[in-house]
């Protein structure tokens, strides 16, 4: 199969850009699904996203920071993730500024205006070089766009949607979420707002999240083809609990939520939450503080996948009352998150839990907040700030970010993780070392993301939590997080194989943009 994609003499491999009518239309999962489907056909495929805005990131083997969605798409493609797959990562620090990560390394902080005023255009050469290198070493590269290609206010500086497609001369498939409504208008409007040159690259559409009888949709698809001259390349059915690691917090209930009932939270991460009955007599309840600028909240996906573990995100002190474990997650704004905990009474509630010997886990920024003191002249520039004082740790923010893939042992089990932080922790005491952090009483802290994906360690940790919480909870002996993730990626591949026009997709990837695609007026102003 892979021989079809590569001409002799070292010609570049095929390509496709998966754009969307809106954010969260399904670009990430469709890209992952296409990657898994192609990989199963023996095609050497790689994912690519020129510019990603996300607080959920990952560290590659060479020590580069990229978006977690691209890391999961690489897993779908069965290749090792690299910085080439996400050359520009923007990590928001406020509504108006972001840290710019270029080729895996942080290079500074820029306002949105400053980025779009010139810096973004300068990066077009970098992203096209990365794409060219991936195409040179793979049979096919499936690119993911961002937001909508019809954001006409940003078109001049675009490097991730039509700007990339034009520079690389690759066809574009536009994904629309029919579950939101208005998908036909979205497809037509997206196309009609593009310039003639951009429209010439839009080769077709993909309907996502359809419920019901697809034959009822067919008259509309035919009319859409008559209006635009472009075919619909597939209709993917709505599937509960299907997704990959999120780029942002859209899958997490907002911090302002008033819900107090224990219920299932749709994490929409690498795996579905377990719907299996608890292995022991009782469930274990986990409350995750929905702190501002929360990052790598995918850390708790492995907990949510455990039979009998119920995970929810909270923002009120009373919501911690019946929790067996409270998790303070990572955040891009440690000092700001600490202030938020204090303003909402959560800091006092966590302190009371610790005094009562009830379990608390801090990860990365959450670990830093649990310490005695934070010296931050880098992220918040707040200077010295008192932490919660629940761990014997002092934190100093360094200009250079720590990016690492540590391995070790805890609770008698092997553990692997990854680190992404500016804060450098000095541990001055505690009852025991814990993943380069420490434990004091029932309070645990570490900079390691992803540690709970290590099955043996996760089970050992949950046994300790259940014992400290007085719960008759027993972790299931056979939950394999990596296996669940693979099953999830296979489900995405199945969706493409069973519900997309794979022959048409192959032609686009292999042969490029079809000739004679009609112009849909009025075009870009």
């Amino acid at each position: 199969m892979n021989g079809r994609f590569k001409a002799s003499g070292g010609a570049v491999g095929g390509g496709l850009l998966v754009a969307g009518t809106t954010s969260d239309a399904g670009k990430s999962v469709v890209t992952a699904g296409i990657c898994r489907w192609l990989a199963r056909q023996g095609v050497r495929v790689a994912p690519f996203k020129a510019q990603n805005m996300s607080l959920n990131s990952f560290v590659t083997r060479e020590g580069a920071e990229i978006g977690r969605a691209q890391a999961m798409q690489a897993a779908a493609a069965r290749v090792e993730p690299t910085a080439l797959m996400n050359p520009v990562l923007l990590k928001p620090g406020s509504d108006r500024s972001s840290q710019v990560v270029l080729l895996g390394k942080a290079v500074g902080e820029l306002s949105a205006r400053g980025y779009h005023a010139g810096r973004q255009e300068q990066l077009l050469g970098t992203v096209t070089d990365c794409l060219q290198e991936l195409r040179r070493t793979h049979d096919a590269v499936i690119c993911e766009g961002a937001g909508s290609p019809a954001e006409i206010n940003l078109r001049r500086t675009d490097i991730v949607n039509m700007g990339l497609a034009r520079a690389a001369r690759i066809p574009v498939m536009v994904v629309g979420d029919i579950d939101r409504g208005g998908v036909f208008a979205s497809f037509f409007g997206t196309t009609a707002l593009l310039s003639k040159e951009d429209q010439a690259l839009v080769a077709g559409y993909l309907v996502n999240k359809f419920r019901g009888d697809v034959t009822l949709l067919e008259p509309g698809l035919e009319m859409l083809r008559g209006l635009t001259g472009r075919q619909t390349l597939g209709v993917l059915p709505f599937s509960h609990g299907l997704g990959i690691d999120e780029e942002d917090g859209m899958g997490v209930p907002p911090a302002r939520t008033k819900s107090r009932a224990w219920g299932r939270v749709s994490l929409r991460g690498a795996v579905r939450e377990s719907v299996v009955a608890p292995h022991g007599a009782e469930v274990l309840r986990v409350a995750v503080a929905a702190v501002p600028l929360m990052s790598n909240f995918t850390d708790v996906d492995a907990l949510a996948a455990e039979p009998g573990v119920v995970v929810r995100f909270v923002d009120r002190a009373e919501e911690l009352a019946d929790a067996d474990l409270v998790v303070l997650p990572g955040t891009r704004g440690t000092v700001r998150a600490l202030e938020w905990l204090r303003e909402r009474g959560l800091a006092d509630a966590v302190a009371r839990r610790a005094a009562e010997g009830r379990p608390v886990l801090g990860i990365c920024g959450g670990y830093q907040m649990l310490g005695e003191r934070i010296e931050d002249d880098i992220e918040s520039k707040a200077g010295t700030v008192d932490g919660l004082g629940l761990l014997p740790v002092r934190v100093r923010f360094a200009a250079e970010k720590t990016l690492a893939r540590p391995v070790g042992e805890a609770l008698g089990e092997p553990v692997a993780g990854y680190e992404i932080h500016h804060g450098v922790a000095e541990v001055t005491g505690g009852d025991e070392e814990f993943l380069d952090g420490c434990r004091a009483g029932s309070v645990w802290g570490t900079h390691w993301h992803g540690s709970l994906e290590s099955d043996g360690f996760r089970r050992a940790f949950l046994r300790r939590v259940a014992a400290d919480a007085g719960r008759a909870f027993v972790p299931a002996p056979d939950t394999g997080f990596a296996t669940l993730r693979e099953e999830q990626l296979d489900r995405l591949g199945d969706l493409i194989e069973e519900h997309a026009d794979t022959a048409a997709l192959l032609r686009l990837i292999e042969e490029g943009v079809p000739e004679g695609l009609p112009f849909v007026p009025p075009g870009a102003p």
Side-chain angles (χ1 to χ4, degrees):
M1 182 68 148
N2 61 350
R4 297 180 55 191
F5 282 82
K6 205 82 160 169
S8 61
V12 296
L16 176 70
L17 175 67
V18 179
T21 57
T22 62
S23 294
D24 206 36
K27 298 183 292 291
S28 295
V29 295
V30 168
T31 299
I34 295 174
C35 285
R36 176 48 59 100
W37 162 65
L38 286 173
R40 293 196 303 212
Q41 310 305 310
V43 176
R44 294 177 299 172
V45 59
F48 179 78
K49 185 159 186 174
Q51 173 193 294
N52 197 349
M53 178 171 281
S54 177
L55 287 172
N56 284 343
S57 56
F58 181 76
V59 179
T60 67
R61 282 184 179 172
E62 72 267 31
E65 184 179 8
I66 65 172
R68 279 199 64 90
Q70 281 61 66
M72 290 302 99
Q73 289 163 354
R78 296 176 175 152
V79 296
E80 187 66 29
T82 74
L84 292 174
M85 297 172 184
N86 179 206
V88 182
L89 174 63
L90 305 178
K91 304 193 72 174
S94 70
D95 291 340
R96 296 190 176 185
S97 68
S98 294
Q99 183 181 69
V100 180
V101 179
L102 180 61
L103 293 174
K105 303 298 180 184
V107 295
E109 200 91 9
L110 276 180
S111 68
R113 181 183 294 273
Y115 184 67
H116 289 285
R119 178 62 168 165
Q120 190 175 30
E121 285 181 287
Q122 297 169 11
L123 295 173
L124 180 59
T126 298
V127 301
T128 54
D129 286 348
C130 290
L131 176 56
Q132 182 76 358
E133 178 61 18
L134 286 174
R135 295 180 73 184
R136 187 184 67 80
T137 54
H138 294 79
D139 301 325
V141 179
I142 309 303
C143 308
E144 179 189 343
S148 164
E151 292 170 349
I152 55 179
N153 57 314
L154 302 176
R155 175 61 185 89
R156 182 181 63 81
T157 58
D158 171 51
I159 64 172
V160 66
N161 291 308
M162 302 313 299
L164 177 71
R166 284 267 293 274
R169 294 300 302 170
I170 54 175
V172 178
M173 177 179 70
V174 181
V175 178
D177 179 358
I178 197 170
D179 197 50
R180 296 182 174 194
V183 75
F184 292 116
S186 297
F187 283 143
F188 182 86
T190 295
T191 308
L193 273 177
L194 300 178
S195 68
K196 183 177 181 180
E197 294 79 9
D198 285 351
Q199 285 192 28
L201 299 177
V202 177
Y205 311 111
L206 185 80
V207 177
N208 193 26
K209 302 181 187 177
F210 179 71
R211 305 172 190 253
D213 185 350
V214 73
T215 61
L216 299 177
L217 197 63
E218 289 171 354
L221 300 179
E222 284 301 313
M223 284 187 275
L224 181 66
R225 184 163 189 170
L227 288 166
T228 67
R230 290 157 174 86
Q231 66 175 316
T232 297
L233 298 164
V235 178
L236 306 186
F238 188 97
S239 183
H240 287 281
L242 192 61
I244 64 172
D245 287 10
E246 293 297 311
E247 293 186 351
D248 50 41
M250 294 183 73
V252 177
R256 62 181 177 274
T257 180
K258 302 301 180 187
S259 172
R260 275 173 265 181
W262 277 103
R264 304 207 69 79
V265 172
S266 177
L267 298 179
R268 303 184 320 146
V271 299
R272 293 170 295 169
E273 289 184 283
S274 173
V275 294
V276 182
H279 190 69
E282 293 184 294
V283 300
L284 199 71
R285 295 174 171 85
V286 179
V288 184
V291 298
L293 298 174
M294 181 166 47
S295 61
N296 288 67
F297 56 83
T298 47
D299 281 333
V300 298
D301 278 353
L303 295 180
E306 281 284 350
V309 176
V310 183
V311 177
R312 67 171 180 176
F313 290 81
V314 305
D315 71 339
R316 299 162 66 98
E318 56 265 37
E319 292 176 303
L320 304 187
D322 54 352
D324 302 307
L325 170 66
V326 169
V327 178
L328 301 186
T331 171
R332 172 81 163 84
T334 301
V335 171
R336 176 179 169 186
L338 187 55
E339 293 172 351
W340 181 87
L341 290 176
R342 287 177 167 138
E343 289 168 358
R344 304 187 75 84
L346 285 159
D348 289 339
V350 170
R352 285 194 297 271
R353 287 183 61 88
E356 295 165 1
R358 302 171 67 195
V360 177
L361 171 64
I363 302 173
C364 200
Y367 167 44
Q368 295 166 8
M369 288 186 275
L370 290 170
E372 299 168 347
R373 185 179 70 203
I374 300 171
E375 297 177 23
D376 181 12
D377 295 317
I378 304 297
E379 191 174 75
S380 68
K381 298 180 172 58
T384 301
V385 176
D386 288 336
L388 297 179
L390 302 179
L391 287 176
V393 174
R394 298 173 182 175
V395 176
R396 176 184 53 81
F397 273 64
E400 186 172 346
K401 185 184 293 189
T402 296
L403 298 171
R405 290 272 294 268
V407 294
E409 182 178 299
L411 304 181
E413 298 287 346
V415 191
Y418 59 99
E419 294 184 63
I420 306 169
H421 54 91
H422 282 282
V424 178
E426 177 190 1
V427 179
T428 61
D431 297 324
E432 65 176 304
E433 184 181 345
F434 177 67
L435 302 178
D436 293 337
C438 69
R439 176 186 68 83
S442 62
V443 181
W444 310 70
T446 177
H447 272 133
W448 291 24
H449 294 290
S451 63
L452 294 167
E453 296 180 17
S454 298
D455 297 330
F457 165 72
R458 181 180 65 254
R459 287 191 278 270
F461 179 70
L462 289 176
R463 283 192 291 269
R464 287 286 294 270
V465 167
D468 288 348
R471 290 285 182 187
F473 168 85
V474 179
D478 55 357
T479 303
F481 188 77
T483 300
L484 291 172
R485 174 177 282 156
E486 274 297 299
E487 291 174 356
Q488 189 84 322
L489 296 174
D490 274 332
R491 290 181 65 206
L492 293 175
D494 291 343
L495 276 181
I496 298 299
E497 186 169 347
E498 296 168 11
H499 300 283
D501 186 341
T502 54
L505 281 177
L506 282 173
R507 284 194 299 273
L508 284 179
I509 296 168
E510 198 176 355
E511 300 172 9
V513 184
E515 295 291 335
L517 291 170
F519 173 68
V520 180

